[in-house]
Amino acid sequence: MTGRPTSAGWTFLTNHARVLVQIARDPGIRVRDIAERCLLTERAVQRIIADLEEAGYLTHERRGRANHYHVIAAKQLRHPADAGPTLAELLAVLR
């Protein structure tokens, strides 16, 4: 088994959620490692990280040659149907 989805159907988690979970698990993770774990390209991961930062769910700081990420755990989920739980509550379930 390759670890890749067996069909082109739907999944429970979006790529944004997968990337965010990886960052929450390891704030110093490299884009390359996120891409490998999420079965995405590095470019796709970079776009997702930019989306998450633009939406206020994530920030990063440069530490030497690497990025260190900070998840904004108190942030509310953005879809109206998901109103109520915070990002921390969602991540607690997904970790």
Side-chain angles (χ1 to χ4, degrees):
M1 177 156 202
T2 64
R4 296 205 179 263
T6 57
S7 68
W10 60 274
T11 63
F12 281 102
L13 299 177
T14 65
N15 289 336
H16 284 65
R18 287 187 188 99
V19 168
L20 192 60
V21 167
Q22 293 303 314
I23 290 171
R25 287 179 179 162
D26 179 4
I29 193 169
R30 298 178 310 165
V31 167
R32 173 180 292 152
D33 296 329
I34 297 170
E36 184 178 308
R37 292 176 189 176
C38 294
L39 305 177
L40 298 168
T41 65
E42 289 181 38
R43 188 166 179 92
V45 170
Q46 290 168 338
R47 281 193 306 267
I48 289 168
I49 289 171
D51 288 347
L52 292 169
E53 286 185 307
E54 185 178 319
Y57 290 100
L58 189 66
T59 62
H60 80 276
E61 66 175 308
R62 208 67 182 148
R63 291 189 182 171
R65 292 179 30 186
N67 285 326
H68 186 83
Y69 300 96
H70 175 71
V71 175
I72 311 301
K75 180 92 170 155
Q76 297 286 315
L77 301 181
R78 70 183 241 171
H79 194 280
D82 301 328
T86 62
L87 192 52
E89 292 169 307
L90 174 66
L91 289 171
V93 172
L94 297 177
R95 284 193 212 182

